[in-house]
Amino acid sequence: MGPKTKKARTTKKARTKIAGDDNDTLLLMNDEVIDQFLKDLNSITSNKDVSSIQSASCTLLELRSLQRDLIKRMQEKERFVQEKRQDVERQAMAYQNLTYERKYLEKQVQQCRDYQTPQLHHMCRSELVSSSDGDDDGTTKEVNDDIINEFLCASSTTLYSDPKQQKLIMGKLHKELNLRGNLERDLAQAKSKLRTKQQELDRKRSFLKDIPKKLRDVEVASLPLQRYFQKNELSTSTSTVKFLGTERKELFDKARINLPGPLYILFVQIQYYVDAFPKEEVELEVTTVRPYDISSSAGEDKEVPKPEKYCVMLRIPIPESTTTMLTSTTAAASPSATSNKKPRKKVSIQFSFYETLKIITCRTVGSTTTLYPHLLECLFPGDTGHHPLNGSNVMTQQDPEESPSTTATVPNKFLLGVPYHWCNFMGGLNFPEVVGAKQIETETTSAPPIEKSTKAIMKTLQKRLCAQTTLKQILKVLEGPRKPDPIPIHPAMDSIMKDDDDDDNECTSKLVIWTETATTGTKDRVRSFLAGIKRGGSGTTVRAHVTFDVTKYPLEPPVWSLNSAEQNWGDKHGSISNLLDSDGKEQQKLPPLFSGPLSQLENVINEETETLVVPHNEETYEWILLHQLRKLVQSWDKMQRLIEEGIIPPQGPDRKIPF
């Protein structure tokens, strides 16, 4: 082993020895190896100096080894420094975070210290202090703190700011929070239920609000069906109640809104009668009073009271049963007569109310006034409409100067209609008289008796209408150009007047004249007619005068008077001896002024009226004028036939004719 090899080993051992030293030692050894390498390099003299070259090569290799170790150590040191730098940076970041958190917490602590808790104060006071002690507006902070300490720490001496009480306070607050949370939950559930109920209530209210509109739509859609049922009920004999539908409801609503109290009561009374008797086809209507009627009744006098704007219109159908029978009977007697069926007419009656006078007036309107001018007069005995009503200042006389009252009065001619007692009774205006009030009981001031029910009043009104309708038809038949022969009678009288009908074939007398006297007319209550009856063959005639009151027909039958048909009897045969039947043959040829047989016949016609009607058949009463006339024609013809045949002596005070 040469010296260089030995030197290299020595250097290797020295490097191994300092392997665990720091980098400065390695750098020093690196410098030494470099110096040794330079020395070995300089010692080489030629290429053949192998030992020097080997020594230099070994030194170079050792230098490279040292440099590799040094680089490795430097890399390790660099990694170590990098890790330390990262640790420093991490620590610095953590420090900054802690500093920021500390400042934030200090700020939060300060905010918590400065935070005002009025709700806590209020809660503590509400839990510990009674409401009678008053509000806490004037209390100091120390008093509030004592209350909070007592509530949170169960003692006023223990401070709630003491950290030792934190656990107790937190438990207390959690307990209160849980309790109040449950209350809030219950409150939320209650509010939810309330909203649900409110929504359900709104839906039901909306449904109820829409019901009237829906009902109106249903009513409008069902109007044809309602009219069909109404017609069906009227055509059914077992129907007793009128079908109540939309039109009736609307009529009641209109009456309730527009009519004054008395007129509404009258409307309800009549409407209930209409509902109870639907087959009579009576109609009611709420209408307005025409301004022309008001102005025409008041004239230019501004002090004359005016009626209310709305009135009640009653329409009653004109009966057709008696007139139809009369027309058919006349048509059978006269083949040339024709019957044209016309639509059924109705009479119109208007009820008005005067607020200032507190009375209800009644009148006929339209064509009814012309056709039935006396329909409402004296509907009940004594009820002329000229009596004071309930102390009102309506003057009954037409002339103001004839009024017995000293107070201001209003003539009836300025009113729309007449204030009859029966219409005021139906309107609830039949007030009892004041006790102790002075009243002069005379024929003009005593109030007439009236019926006590709407049904009786309506039935009486319909009977009056039926009687006057039949009377008009009878007069129309008798006044026609072709007189009926024989005189028609009611079908119910066929069996009663059978004996007289047996003589129809032998009866040659017939009615030839029927005319109204010049003293009466269609507008008069009491009318008078002249009837001329002529016997066939002999040509003997008799004149009959009949008088009747239109308002009392047929309650008071017509009154007949008979006399000879010869005109100007006094001028031709005027002598005292001819006033009675004479026994002389010369005077027997003269027509007497007074005839006993005619007087007997007159008494029979006027007094024995019960034999000319059927007791329980009201229609036969309405035909009593025709029955009397037929009885007169037949009896007078029979009387003349018996006289001509000599069966009845024409002379003698005791002679009686079997009529």
Side-chain angles (χ1 to χ4, degrees):
M1 181 178 301
K4 292 183 179 180
T5 303
K6 185 176 179 179
K7 182 179 178 180
R9 290 178 179 176
T10 303
T11 305
K12 187 176 183 179
K13 289 180 180 180
R15 188 182 62 188
T16 304
K17 183 179 179 180
I18 64 173
D21 295 340
D22 55 0
N23 295 330
D24 294 336
T25 304
L26 289 176
L27 291 175
L28 181 62
M29 291 180 63
N30 185 43
D31 293 338
E32 291 177 357
V33 172
I34 293 173
D35 292 341
Q36 184 64 34
F37 175 72
L38 293 175
K39 289 179 179 181
D40 292 339
L41 187 61
N42 292 327
S43 64
I44 299 174
T45 57
S46 63
N47 292 333
K48 294 181 180 183
D49 191 358
V50 176
S51 59
S52 297
I53 294 173
Q54 289 180 351
S55 177
S57 299
C58 291
T59 303
L60 180 61
L61 292 174
E62 184 177 2
L63 179 61
R64 290 177 63 88
S65 176
L66 286 174
Q67 288 181 351
R68 283 194 298 269
D69 291 340
L70 184 60
I71 292 172
K72 184 177 180 181
R73 284 179 175 269
M74 290 179 65
Q75 290 177 351
E76 290 178 356
K77 190 66 175 178
E78 185 179 4
R79 285 195 301 270
F80 176 75
V81 171
Q82 185 70 24
E83 290 177 358
K84 290 299 182 180
R85 183 180 290 110
Q86 292 178 356
D87 290 341
V88 171
E89 292 177 355
R90 189 167 49 254
Q91 293 295 331
M93 183 63 69
Y95 173 74
Q96 292 179 357
N97 292 337
L98 291 175
T99 303
Y100 177 78
E101 184 178 2
R102 179 179 63 81
K103 292 182 179 180
Y104 174 76
L105 292 176
E106 288 177 354
K107 184 178 180 180
Q108 291 292 325
V109 170
Q110 187 63 33
Q111 289 180 354
C112 291
R113 289 177 179 177
D114 297 339
Y115 182 74
Q116 300 296 327
T117 57
Q119 295 84 2
L120 180 61
H121 297 169
H122 180 72
M123 180 180 66
C124 296
R125 289 184 62 86
S126 63
E127 293 289 339
L128 300 178
V129 182
S130 61
S131 60
S132 62
D133 295 340
D135 298 334
D136 58 349
D137 295 339
T139 59
T140 62
K141 184 177 184 300
E142 290 77 8
V143 175
N144 290 333
D145 291 342
D146 292 341
I147 295 174
I148 294 174
N149 291 333
E150 185 176 356
F151 176 73
L152 295 179
C153 304
S155 175
S156 60
T157 58
T158 305
L159 299 178
Y160 65 88
S161 59
D162 188 2
K164 296 180 181 180
Q165 303 295 328
Q166 181 182 5
K167 186 176 180 180
L168 178 63
I169 293 174
M170 293 300 294
K172 178 71 173 179
L173 292 177
H174 280 299
K175 182 178 179 181
E176 289 293 329
L177 287 176
N178 292 333
L179 178 61
R180 293 176 184 272
N182 294 334
L183 293 177
E184 289 183 355
R185 182 192 60 198
D186 296 341
L187 178 61
Q189 292 177 356
K191 288 183 178 180
S192 178
K193 291 182 180 179
L194 177 61
R195 285 194 298 269
T196 304
K197 295 294 184 182
Q198 190 68 32
Q199 293 175 357
E200 184 179 359
L201 179 62
D202 293 341
R203 287 194 300 269
K204 291 182 178 179
R205 283 180 176 175
S206 178
F207 174 75
L208 293 176
K209 186 178 180 180
D210 292 339
I211 284 180
K213 182 177 180 300
K214 300 295 184 183
L215 288 179
R216 285 194 296 269
D217 295 341
V218 172
E219 288 176 348
V220 171
S222 63
L223 281 177
L225 188 61
Q226 294 180 24
R227 296 190 182 98
Y228 169 76
F229 279 116
Q230 289 177 355
K231 293 180 180 178
N232 189 27
E233 285 188 351
L234 292 176
S235 61
T236 305
S237 59
T238 59
S239 176
T240 58
V241 180
K242 188 174 182 180
F243 183 79
L244 307 181
T246 304
E247 296 176 353
R248 181 180 185 275
K249 183 182 72 66
E250 292 178 351
L251 183 61
F252 262 90
D253 293 341
K254 183 178 180 181
R256 186 183 69 254
I257 295 172
N258 299 315
L259 291 180
L263 273 188
Y264 180 72
I265 295 175
L266 181 140
F267 170 83
V268 173
Q269 294 283 343
I270 300 178
Q271 184 61 46
Y272 284 162
Y273 172 82
V274 173
D275 295 337
F277 301 94
K279 293 186 178 181
E280 295 181 359
E281 299 182 8
V282 179
E283 295 181 358
L284 270 180
E285 182 183 359
V286 178
T287 183
T288 56
V289 180
R290 294 182 301 177
Y292 171 78
D293 295 336
I294 300 177
S295 61
S296 61
S297 62
E300 298 180 356
D301 191 353
K302 298 181 180 180
E303 297 182 358
V304 175
K306 295 180 175 56
E308 295 298 315
K309 179 180 179 181
Y310 286 88
C311 63
V312 176
M313 191 71 69
L314 173 65
R315 292 185 173 89
I316 304 176
I318 298 176
E320 294 181 344
S321 58
T322 56
T323 57
T324 303
M325 286 189 294
L326 183 59
T327 304
S328 61
T329 305
T330 308
S334 178
S336 61
T338 58
S339 59
N340 296 325
K341 188 175 182 181
K342 297 181 180 179
R344 194 172 185 184
K345 298 181 180 180
K346 295 184 179 182
V347 297
S348 300
I349 303 174
Q350 176 181 313
F351 298 91
S352 304
F353 178 68
Y354 286 82
E355 181 66 32
T356 56
L357 301 177
K358 303 297 182 184
I359 60 171
I360 296 176
T361 60
C362 177
R363 66 165 185 163
T364 57
V365 294
S367 60
T368 308
T369 306
T370 305
L371 296 176
Y372 301 92
H374 310 290
L375 179 62
L376 303 177
E377 295 182 11
C378 296
L379 189 62
F380 296 97
D383 190 4
T384 60
H386 296 162
H387 298 275
L389 294 173
N390 308 323
S392 64
N393 58 350
V394 179
M395 188 177 64
T396 60
Q397 288 79 9
Q398 297 294 332
D399 187 2
E401 296 179 358
E402 297 180 3
S403 174
S405 176
T406 58
T407 59
T409 57
V410 179
N412 275 355
K413 65 180 180 180
F414 290 146
L415 302 179
L416 291 181
V418 181
Y420 295 109
H421 275 255
W422 58 268
C423 60
N424 285 272
F425 169 78
M426 286 198 298
L429 296 178
N430 187 32
F431 303 123
E433 297 179 358
V434 180
V435 178
K438 296 181 179 180
Q439 180 179 3
I440 302 175
E441 295 292 342
T442 62
E443 294 181 356
T444 59
T445 59
S446 59
I450 59 175
E451 295 292 339
K452 299 301 182 182
S453 68
T454 303
K455 178 182 177 182
I457 294 175
M458 292 298 296
K459 290 295 184 182
T460 304
L461 184 58
Q462 289 176 318
K463 289 179 181 179
R464 169 69 63 81
L465 176 61
C466 185
Q468 293 193 6
T469 302
T470 305
L471 181 60
K472 287 176 62 67
Q473 188 66 22
I474 291 174
L475 296 178
K476 181 179 179 181
V477 171
L478 296 178
E479 291 175 346
R482 193 179 185 89
K483 306 304 180 188
D485 185 25
I487 303 299
I489 61 173
H490 194 276
M493 292 296 298
D494 291 339
S495 59
I496 299 177
M497 301 181 72
K498 184 177 181 181
D499 295 338
D500 295 335
D501 292 341
D502 292 340
D503 298 334
D504 283 346
N505 296 328
E506 300 179 3
C507 180
T508 59
S509 300
K510 61 180 180 179
L511 180 67
V512 293
I513 299 175
W514 182 272
T515 180
E516 190 166 5
T517 60
T519 58
T520 63
T522 56
K523 295 183 179 181
D524 296 326
R525 280 181 50 186
V526 180
R527 301 184 67 180
S528 178
F529 290 86
L530 172 64
I533 304 173
K534 183 177 181 180
R535 177 172 168 75
S538 63
T540 307
T541 59
V542 64
R543 299 172 62 190
H545 289 82
V546 57
T547 304
F548 54 84
D549 191 338
V550 176
T551 61
K552 298 179 181 180
Y553 179 88
L555 184 63
E556 294 183 3
V559 178
W560 295 79
S561 61
L562 307 178
N563 59 2
S564 174
E566 185 174 356
Q567 298 289 341
N568 301 324
W569 188 95
D571 296 338
K572 297 181 180 180
H573 313 288
S575 63
I576 298 177
S577 60
N578 291 330
L579 292 178
L580 297 175
D581 288 345
S582 175
D583 294 337
K585 294 181 181 180
E586 296 292 338
Q587 296 176 355
Q588 185 179 359
K589 298 179 181 179
L590 298 176
L593 180 62
F594 174 79
S595 175
L598 289 181
S599 177
Q600 294 183 29
L601 179 58
E602 181 179 310
N603 293 334
V604 171
I605 299 300
N606 291 329
E607 296 178 3
E608 298 181 5
T609 56
E610 67 276 359
T611 60
L612 303 178
V613 294
V614 178
H616 301 290
N617 191 334
E618 296 182 357
E619 291 183 357
T620 59
Y621 287 84
E622 299 167 2
W623 288 51
I624 191 170
L625 178 60
L626 288 177
H627 297 167
Q628 288 179 323
L629 182 58
R630 182 159 179 171
K631 180 71 173 178
L632 173 61
V633 172
Q634 293 176 348
S635 300
W636 181 77
D637 185 83
K638 183 178 181 180
M639 179 187 70
Q640 293 297 325
R641 187 173 63 252
L642 295 177
I643 292 176
E644 292 175 358
E645 295 176 356
I647 299 176
I648 299 177
Q651 302 173 2
D654 297 331
R655 61 185 182 276
K656 291 184 179 181
I657 303 175
F659 293 115

